[in-house]
Amino acid sequence: MAEQNNQPAQEKELTQQELSEQIQIRRDKLAQMQAEGNDPFAITKCEVTHHSDEIRNDFDALEGKDVAIAGRLMSKRIMGKASFCNVQDRNGNMQSYVSRNDIGDDAYAAFKKFDIGDIISIKGFVFKTKTGEVSVHAKEVTLLSKSLQVLPEKFHGLKDQELRYRQRYMDLIVNPEVRDTFIKRSRIVTEIRKFLDSKGFLEVETPVLQTIAGGASARPFITHHNALDIDMYCRIALELPLKRLIVGGFERVYEIGRVFRNEGVSVRHNPEFTLMELYQAYTDYFGMMDITEELFRTVTQNVLGTTKIQYGGHELDLGQPFARKTMVEAVKEYAGVDFDAVPDTEAAKKLAEEHHIVFEERHAKGDILSLFFEEYVEKNLIQPTFIIDYPVEISPLSKRKPEKPEYTERFELFIVGREYGNAYSELNDPIDQRKRFEYQEYLRAAGDDEANMIDEDFLTALEYGMPPTGGLGIGIDRFVMLLTESVSIRDVILFPTMKPLN
């Protein structure tokens, strides 16, 4: 069954048998070309002078002038001695007019056999068709790479969501909006770096493989170093190495890198994701609130050209001051429970039972407060809101509030019910830090696989003295989701984690 090359794409979904037949036809074409000494894979390079958007934007200057473009053949219309085709490059699509009189009989005959998906180059001059479409009038057409697979046709598209994630290369070919998302992701990361660099932060790199999994409450991936004969952990956070650098005298540092957490997969979670953490000496969590708000506002403005965005049916304005509420205030507002009036853990557990909130025996009052927050508050935080002053039980690396030591100087940023940033005044008291680590060890012994381990070297670093410091972590993937209005984290990770097919 021959492919219908006189159509922009197939008009119906192909059966498996038809697909196999078309793939075989493509392989046969390649074998024939190779036998005739025209192997496209022998070509090592081609000239590219312009991309599609440049030709379109600069038409007045380029009209009648020669250009060279290259890309993937996405459609063609054969009309006897002349044809139109569409070539997709990194920046869009460009129509080309291909005539037998211009490129010659043999070259035109070869062009007619090209398949949708082939990589080609076209040299010719720029003109406008009678319908006003900017195009390239071909003088030379070259096959650069033979596509041996059949692209999903445009009318039905690549609908299988899982296949899109598994074969992102195909997703990028047939869905331009996907390509735009990842271009935007790159711009977002670039703007974050520019913002932090302008504030005097130094970008650094810290180890991915660590002997202690610390800096967050998460289950780590474990691997084994053969030469040293020790188990090691893929990092779950960037925090502890970066704070060692603050001890060492770097006053402002940041890192953007992959972290790994051995957890489930959902629309919000991928086992490996991109995290940005920064640490600034001589400031606190209020300073971190200021820099977080400015960063979100500046990056959004520079990438989107506005601070007003849509997400999940809500209109958000990142240009407005972000709200600030303590966790206790937020729970009182949405659950009607005032934890300042709750005297102890037993009273908190009784309240949890009355509100049908499931807790574990090891949970203390602060843990119960956090469970109330998750149940009643998070979903209601639509506009950007800093939730501040977290209980000490769930904040093992945060400095206590002097006037209220059962709480810490910590905040999380919530937008549309999701957490986008976590920050605090860093705990720099090595004695208190050891006690917190020891409590985390107790939790691990009680069955909490996500509790922190004791990091003796980090404690030693603190004993040398760390200045008052503010720290901030932002999940890059969630930030990209926000600015691209993406529903799932898989939509903003080029190669999300997938279960193998076999």
Side-chain angles (χ1 to χ4, degrees):
M1 177 180 176
E3 225 179 337
Q4 301 298 311
N5 279 328
N6 61 335
Q7 298 293 329
Q10 297 89 346
E11 293 185 354
K12 64 182 180 64
E13 293 185 88
L14 299 172
T15 67
Q16 191 60 46
Q17 180 180 354
E18 290 171 330
L19 193 61
S20 298
E21 289 174 351
Q22 291 206 16
I23 290 173
Q24 187 57 53
I25 289 171
R26 290 175 180 233
R27 289 180 178 272
D28 291 342
K29 287 181 182 180
L30 174 63
Q32 182 179 354
M33 285 187 288
Q34 290 172 329
E36 294 171 351
N38 297 318
D39 185 358
F41 298 123
I43 298 174
T44 59
K45 65 178 182 178
C46 78
E47 181 184 17
V48 176
T49 63
H50 295 79
H51 289 91
S52 54
D53 60 332
E54 297 167 341
I55 295 173
R56 196 167 286 108
N57 294 337
D58 297 336
F59 172 76
D60 291 340
L62 291 173
E63 184 178 13
K65 295 183 180 179
D66 285 347
V67 296
I69 63 172
R72 191 176 298 273
L73 181 63
M74 297 303 290
S75 68
K76 64 177 182 174
R77 302 190 304 278
I78 304 296
M79 301 177 297
K81 298 180 181 180
S83 304
F84 282 96
C85 69
N86 193 283
V87 176
Q88 177 177 288
D89 62 20
R90 72 179 189 193
N91 295 343
N93 292 275
M94 178 55 58
Q95 179 176 269
S96 178
Y97 173 74
V98 183
S99 168
R100 185 177 68 179
N101 293 337
D102 293 307
I103 68 173
D105 292 345
D106 292 343
Y108 189 69
F111 168 76
K112 289 169 65 177
K113 295 180 181 179
F114 289 177
D115 291 303
I116 304 303
D118 288 350
I119 308 294
I120 67 173
S121 69
I122 294 177
K123 293 182 178 180
F125 61 87
V126 177
F127 79 112
K128 269 187 183 178
T129 64
K130 292 180 180 179
T131 59
E133 183 169 355
V134 176
S135 306
V136 174
H137 189 125
K139 295 180 180 179
E140 181 182 324
V141 181
T142 305
L143 179 63
L144 302 173
S145 181
K146 184 66 186 166
S147 174
L148 300 180
Q149 291 284 344
V150 179
L151 291 179
E153 46 83 14
K154 71 175 183 179
F155 298 108
H156 298 285
L158 185 56
K159 294 187 292 186
D160 187 327
Q161 196 74 24
E162 183 171 316
L163 184 61
R164 288 181 53 209
Y165 297 144
R166 288 186 184 279
Q167 298 184 356
R168 182 66 84 186
Y169 44 87
M170 184 160 60
D171 192 22
L172 292 167
I173 292 169
V174 301
N175 293 319
E177 69 278 6
V178 174
R179 190 164 60 250
D180 292 343
T181 292
F182 288 103
I183 291 172
K184 194 168 290 181
R185 178 188 174 110
S186 180
R187 288 194 59 205
I188 290 168
V189 174
T190 296
E191 289 297 332
I192 290 172
R193 283 194 166 98
K194 285 170 61 176
F195 175 82
L196 294 177
D197 292 346
S198 72
K199 298 289 185 182
F201 284 85
L202 178 70
E203 184 174 10
V204 297
E205 295 176 311
T206 61
V208 173
L209 289 177
Q210 301 178 348
T211 55
I212 296 288
S217 296
R219 184 180 292 109
F221 286 95
I222 305 173
T223 187
H224 189 78
H225 192 293
N226 291 333
L228 297 179
D229 193 24
I230 58 171
D231 284 342
M232 300 189 76
Y233 304 91
C234 295
R235 65 186 180 188
I236 59 174
L238 312 174
E239 179 164 344
L240 300 187
L242 291 175
K243 289 202 284 194
R244 286 175 170 92
L245 298 180
I246 296 291
V247 172
F250 288 135
E251 294 184 4
R252 300 188 183 201
V253 293
Y254 77 96
E255 182 173 6
I256 300 175
R258 288 287 207 188
V259 296
F260 307 84
R261 297 182 182 179
N262 201 346
E263 58 190 17
V265 176
S266 71
V267 294
R268 300 190 189 188
H269 298 95
N270 193 69
E272 59 172 310
F273 60 97
T274 304
L275 184 63
M276 186 284 293
E277 291 195 30
L278 66 85
Y279 294 87
Q280 179 179 343
Y282 311 113
T283 190
D284 61 4
Y285 74 144
F286 288 110
M288 291 298 99
M289 282 184 237
D290 292 341
I291 200 169
T292 302
E293 190 167 335
E294 187 181 356
L295 185 150
F296 268 71
R297 184 172 298 126
T298 301
V299 172
T300 302
Q301 177 67 45
N302 290 349
V303 173
L304 302 182
T306 178
T307 58
K308 294 182 178 180
I309 62 174
Q310 295 283 334
Y311 193 88
H314 301 284
E315 182 174 296
L316 310 170
D317 189 355
L318 302 185
Q320 295 297 314
F322 293 5
R324 302 184 182 190
K325 300 178 183 178
T326 69
M327 182 177 283
V328 170
E329 290 170 343
V331 169
K332 184 177 180 180
E333 178 181 351
Y334 291 102
V337 177
D338 183 1
F339 267 78
D340 278 343
V342 177
D344 52 30
T345 294
E346 290 308 311
K349 288 182 175 179
K350 185 177 180 181
L351 275 171
E353 290 172 348
E354 293 171 358
H355 287 77
H356 308 291
I357 290 178
V358 179
F359 60 89
E360 298 179 27
E361 185 58 33
R362 61 181 173 82
H363 283 154
K365 175 185 171 182
D367 299 295
I368 304 297
L369 169 60
S370 178
L371 292 174
F372 268 84
F373 175 79
E374 292 172 3
E375 177 67 25
Y376 287 98
V377 181
E378 282 190 16
K379 60 189 175 185
N380 294 302
L381 302 176
I382 304 303
Q383 296 297 327
T385 304
F386 291 120
I387 297 296
I388 68 175
D389 299 352
Y390 277 52
V392 69
E393 291 89 344
I394 62 171
S395 310
L397 297 161
S398 307
K399 183 172 287 192
R400 294 177 189 265
K401 290 181 68 66
E403 71 279 12
K404 211 171 184 180
E406 68 270 30
Y407 295 96
T408 64
E409 294 190 347
R410 175 187 173 191
F411 73 80
E412 288 185 314
L413 171 63
F414 287 87
I415 306 173
V416 196
R418 294 184 179 182
E419 180 254 314
Y420 285 88
N422 182 27
Y424 30 88
S425 302
E426 301 297 332
L427 178 57
N428 61 344
D429 178 345
I431 298 172
D432 190 0
Q433 182 65 82
R434 180 174 291 279
K435 291 177 182 177
R436 307 270 196 100
F437 277 154
E438 288 172 349
Y439 178 69
Q440 291 289 306
E441 282 288 303
Y442 157 75
L443 295 179
R444 289 183 68 83
D448 186 354
D449 293 336
E450 296 186 353
N452 282 223
M453 302 175 183
I454 295 179
D455 189 332
E456 291 290 350
D457 181 73
F458 178 67
L459 290 171
T460 299
L462 290 186
E463 288 175 353
Y464 278 98
M466 185 174 82
T469 298
L472 165 67
I474 292 174
I476 298 297
D477 308 288
R478 289 189 182 181
F479 191 19
V480 175
M481 288 172 65
L482 180 69
L483 297 195
T484 59
E485 206 173 354
S486 298
V487 175
S488 171
I489 193 172
R490 292 183 173 191
D491 293 328
V492 299
I493 296 177
L494 279 169
F495 302 103
T497 302
M498 306 290 291
K499 186 176 181 179
L501 292 173
N502 299 320

